[in-house]
Amino acid sequence: MPDVTPPTLAPRTNDLAVKLANVNGTGSASANALLMQAIFRMGIPVAGKNLFPSNIQGLPTWYEIRVNANGHLARAPAFDVVVAMNPETYARDARELRPGGYLLYDSTWPAPEALRRPDVHLLGVPLAAMCREAFAGDRERILMKNIAYAGVLVALLDIELPVVEQLLDEKYARKAALRDSNRRALHMGLEYARAHLPCPLPVRLARMDANRDAVLVDGNTAAALGAIYAGATVAAWYPITPATSLMDAFAAFCKRFRTDPDGRKRYAFLQAEDELAAIGMVIGASWAGARAFTATAGPGISLMSELVGLAYYAEIPAVIVDVQRVGPSTGMPTRTQQADILACAYASHGDTKHILLFPAHPGECFEMMVQAFDLADTFQTPVFMLSDLDVGMNDWVCPRFRWDDAYRPRRGRILGKTELDALPRFFRYSPADENEVAARTLPGVDARGAFFTRGSGHDEFGAYTEDPVAYTKVMERLARKHRAARKHVPTPVVELDPTGPSPLGLVTVGSCDAACREALAMLRERGVRADYMRIRAFPFTDEVEAFLEAHPRNVLVEQNRDGQLRRLLLDETAVGRDRIVSVLEYGGYPLTAQQVLAGVERVL
């Protein structure tokens, strides 16, 4: 078969996608993070997607880096450069290159047929052989091979070497030997690439100033920081992917910011025996007056449901972060989805409705954690923040978090001793205010207050009852209370077509935002005009219904099989079924703009 010269990629600066294919447990995360952080420090918009297996070691793992000067940072559909370090996925990795792309592999061994494509460029670097000569011990050689391929990419993509070296100096400031070995591996890959490969490639990087006021952070860390700023002092949890890193971050922040100079801890961090115990601890701490929360995923939500119903009916604040993953059952724990919407909206048996918040990026995870605690206290009810694995565990560039030092927690209607002394008698659920919320007391403040609550039938005065009229009266007030929250939850993000009213609305929720915004730009390039709305909370505000009613056709993009957000909209608003058409992508990977575009074009 005659040799075929692959096409050459058109020159592009700060508009490229790289995929790093490796084996879980080989230490590739450090090299991948090094590249991400270096690009960020060069001031270039960048996003990283970590696609990893749910086992400990041995299965394929991928890390995807998308760079786009215009800020379009949804997952890329194809890649300009692929680093193929896992023989089991060679064929798949080669397929995901765009024609003219570059496939980097370890040429210590001959390139197998699985890597060969006539329309891509093979770049061989003898990584294993070089590391065998330069380092001692199998584990060190494996780890340094990853840093060596990072050095190759520094040369190929024109990443600024001083930036990378500074990052290594910072990371290993107290470990000189590790710093030196990482530098040696980095330069080994860099020098080989400059001597043997076409450096830089037609797709390359150049310094920008886009990240001057930005941070590189994942949503779980941002949510944990938001809990600190909100005044949370109690966290109870049971380990579960992908929420564990949120609780780890909260514990670290508490150790730093909630510990007195004399070592006294001003917080309680409790690992429970299961999710049932965790939510019970949160409800108990909230009943006693603390700001308390838990973080979990879909399986944990299922287990917590009964006690969530207790908090709803007894009217006790609680904040629950659901970092959604693929279900049902165990599902795919390390893949992303938005399939807990209905489970959280109506969590527990009987008639319940809960406040939901939908962050789209880590910046909103920070902000909405504060809002969640304020809403939980104001309305004396559970509040769910529905993040997902893509937001929670991946690296995002966000505007630097802002904070108003004048903020004071909105604790809602809590009566102290003075207020109780002024009352002829305290009743737990009467009278209610304009939001249908009655005053509460904290146990131990005064004997005239409430020391106990009940999850069984009770009347407006807090007394046990099985009387239908009394029970119905309480339940109807709880429904009105939920409706009253509409005026207090975050309003949707709405962006109208600049050329005038459009008959088409593009609607989404959460982490789908980036892909939908990019797809919206593509649609406009094709002459298709559309308005945009991202829903941020349930109960739905008036703006949500007004947007849907203003468009004869709304395309609703969400990541689940059954169109759960669409079902909630149809159940909870007066919008007609024919006005909302679903585009559903739920296989577990973060959404791409091309998937949204194809879905909208199918509808049109």
Side-chain angles (χ1 to χ4, degrees):
M1 182 176 178
D3 290 338
V4 177
T5 302
T8 301
L9 289 177
R12 280 182 276 122
T13 301
N14 295 339
D15 183 15
L16 59 93
V18 179
K19 187 163 192 171
L20 306 151
N22 221 304
V23 177
N24 200 38
T26 58
S28 58
S30 295
N32 302 338
L34 183 68
L35 293 166
M36 265 289 297
Q37 292 164 6
I39 297 169
F40 172 76
R41 290 200 180 181
M42 288 175 65
I44 306 168
V46 61
K49 305 293 185 188
N50 190 15
L51 310 176
F52 60 102
S54 56
N55 76 331
I56 301 300
Q57 187 169 331
L59 289 181
T61 183
W62 295 273
Y63 192 79
E64 302 175 355
I65 297 175
R66 170 112 187 256
V67 171
N68 185 272
N70 296 321
H72 294 311
L73 296 176
R75 182 170 179 255
F79 299 89
D80 302 288
V81 179
V82 168
V83 179
M85 301 295 289
N86 183 2
E88 288 188 14
T89 63
Y90 276 167
R92 173 179 176 174
D93 298 333
R95 283 197 304 270
E96 295 192 349
L97 271 167
R98 67 176 76 253
Y102 295 84
L103 183 57
L104 175 65
Y105 74 102
D106 188 347
S107 62
T108 301
W109 303 275
E113 283 301 315
L115 285 178
R116 298 185 182 277
R117 262 180 61 183
D119 60 343
V120 302
H121 304 266
L122 271 180
L123 303 178
V125 179
L127 295 164
M130 291 192 301
C131 289
R132 273 203 307 267
E133 295 176 6
F135 302 102
D138 291 342
R139 182 61 181 170
E140 185 180 25
R141 289 166 177 165
I142 291 172
L143 295 174
M144 291 304 111
K145 187 166 71 169
N146 297 321
I147 301 300
Y149 77 59
V152 174
L153 290 175
V154 168
L156 290 174
L157 301 179
D158 227 1
I159 299 173
E160 295 177 5
L161 180 60
V163 174
V164 183
E165 291 179 327
Q166 177 65 28
L167 284 165
L168 289 177
D169 290 346
E170 292 172 9
K171 183 174 182 178
Y172 300 112
R174 298 182 181 179
K175 300 176 181 178
L178 276 175
R179 179 199 61 205
D180 293 343
S181 60
N182 275 265
R183 272 185 169 243
R184 189 159 74 252
L186 180 76
H187 280 269
M188 190 168 64
L190 175 83
E191 291 160 9
Y192 185 93
R194 287 178 173 172
H196 299 92
L197 304 179
C199 299
L201 299 178
V203 288
R204 56 180 292 273
L205 303 173
R207 178 168 285 274
M208 291 178 61
D209 196 25
N211 300 332
R212 178 187 294 272
D213 198 34
V215 293
L216 183 66
V217 66
D218 63 86
N220 282 353
T221 300
L225 189 61
I228 290 287
Y229 273 75
T233 56
V234 177
W237 68 299
Y238 184 77
I240 188 170
T241 302
T244 294
S245 62
L246 193 161
M247 303 308 283
D248 288 342
F250 182 76
F253 286 135
C254 282
K255 185 176 181 181
R256 181 175 178 184
F257 299 116
R258 296 249 191 278
T259 305
D260 290 344
D262 61 3
R264 184 180 180 186
K265 295 178 180 179
R266 299 288 183 172
Y267 64 94
F269 186 77
L270 307 160
Q271 181 174 327
E273 61 268 32
D274 53 36
E275 287 88 351
L276 287 84
I279 188 62
M281 292 172 181
V282 168
I283 293 169
S286 296
W287 170 251
R291 284 200 145 179
F293 78 103
T294 188
T296 189
I301 296 296
S302 297
L303 290 170
M304 293 178 184
S305 290
E306 182 178 0
L307 283 173
V308 168
L310 167 66
Y312 172 82
Y313 190 39
E315 300 183 63
I316 303 171
V319 171
I320 303 157
V321 182
D322 179 7
V323 189
Q324 298 172 93
R325 71 187 207 187
V326 172
S329 185
T330 304
M332 296 189 289
T334 59
R335 298 288 185 258
T336 195
Q337 208 172 65
Q338 297 171 322
D340 296 348
I341 295 173
L342 291 176
C344 292
Y346 303 124
S348 201
H349 56 278
D351 292 319
T352 57
K353 284 185 184 178
H354 304 294
I355 297 173
L356 311 182
L357 303 178
F358 304 108
H361 51 75
E364 285 192 335
C365 288
F366 174 77
E367 296 166 4
M368 287 185 176
M369 278 299 283
V370 180
Q371 293 170 326
F373 281 103
D374 282 349
L375 287 165
D377 277 346
T378 298
F379 289 93
Q380 300 175 16
T381 195
V383 174
F384 291 83
M385 187 174 83
L386 272 68
S387 175
D388 60 41
L389 185 144
D390 184 22
V391 171
M393 295 193 70
N394 284 327
D395 298 311
W396 295 66
V397 176
C398 296
R400 188 175 297 277
F401 301 162
R402 304 296 180 193
W403 184 253
D404 182 1
D405 285 336
Y407 167 81
R408 294 294 179 270
R410 296 199 298 272
R411 297 309 308 268
R413 298 186 65 192
I414 302 178
L415 303 183
K417 178 176 175 56
T418 302
E419 293 91 346
L420 287 169
D421 285 343
L423 293 176
R425 188 175 176 186
F426 170 73
F427 296 110
R428 173 61 186 92
Y429 301 115
S430 180
D433 64 11
E434 69 278 4
N435 291 320
E436 302 293 345
V437 180
R440 64 184 175 121
T441 62
L442 302 182
V445 170
D446 190 270
R448 297 164 64 91
F451 280 74
F452 303 100
T453 191
R454 64 175 74 250
S456 55
H458 55 262
D459 62 19
E460 62 184 301
F461 307 112
Y464 176 77
T465 185
E466 295 186 12
D467 177 72
V469 175
Y471 166 80
T472 302
K473 187 173 183 179
V474 170
M475 291 298 291
E476 287 178 348
R477 181 181 60 80
L478 291 177
R480 292 195 301 271
K481 183 173 76 167
H482 185 263
R483 287 196 295 272
R486 289 184 304 172
K487 298 184 183 299
H488 299 263
V489 299
T491 57
V493 173
V494 174
E495 296 180 7
L496 302 180
D497 186 90
T499 62
S502 169
L504 177 65
L506 181 62
V507 183
T508 195
V509 67
S511 61
C512 299
D513 180 60
C516 286
R517 287 180 177 276
E518 186 175 355
L520 192 64
M522 294 175 173
L523 286 168
R524 288 171 178 168
E525 289 174 0
R526 289 161 167 75
V528 178
R529 296 170 45 247
D531 297 328
Y532 179 64
M533 177 174 68
R534 174 167 61 84
I535 295 170
R536 298 200 298 160
F538 172 73
F540 302 119
T541 66
D542 293 341
E543 292 88 345
V544 171
E545 191 161 352
F547 182 96
L548 297 172
E549 290 287 8
H551 299 85
R553 178 161 292 184
N554 295 279
V555 179
L556 176 56
V557 180
E558 53 182 312
Q559 290 187 283
N560 55 70
R561 185 193 69 182
D562 295 336
Q564 293 188 22
L565 184 61
R566 180 178 183 271
R567 290 168 61 185
L568 195 60
L569 284 164
L570 294 177
D571 283 347
E572 300 288 342
T573 71
V575 176
R577 300 179 67 86
D578 58 336
R579 285 183 179 269
I580 308 176
V581 182
S582 290
V583 169
L584 306 174
E585 296 287 346
Y586 55 92
Y589 284 166
L591 197 63
T592 69
Q594 288 71 21
Q595 289 173 317
V596 176
L597 183 66
V600 173
E601 289 180 338
R602 282 196 303 270
V603 171
L604 296 179

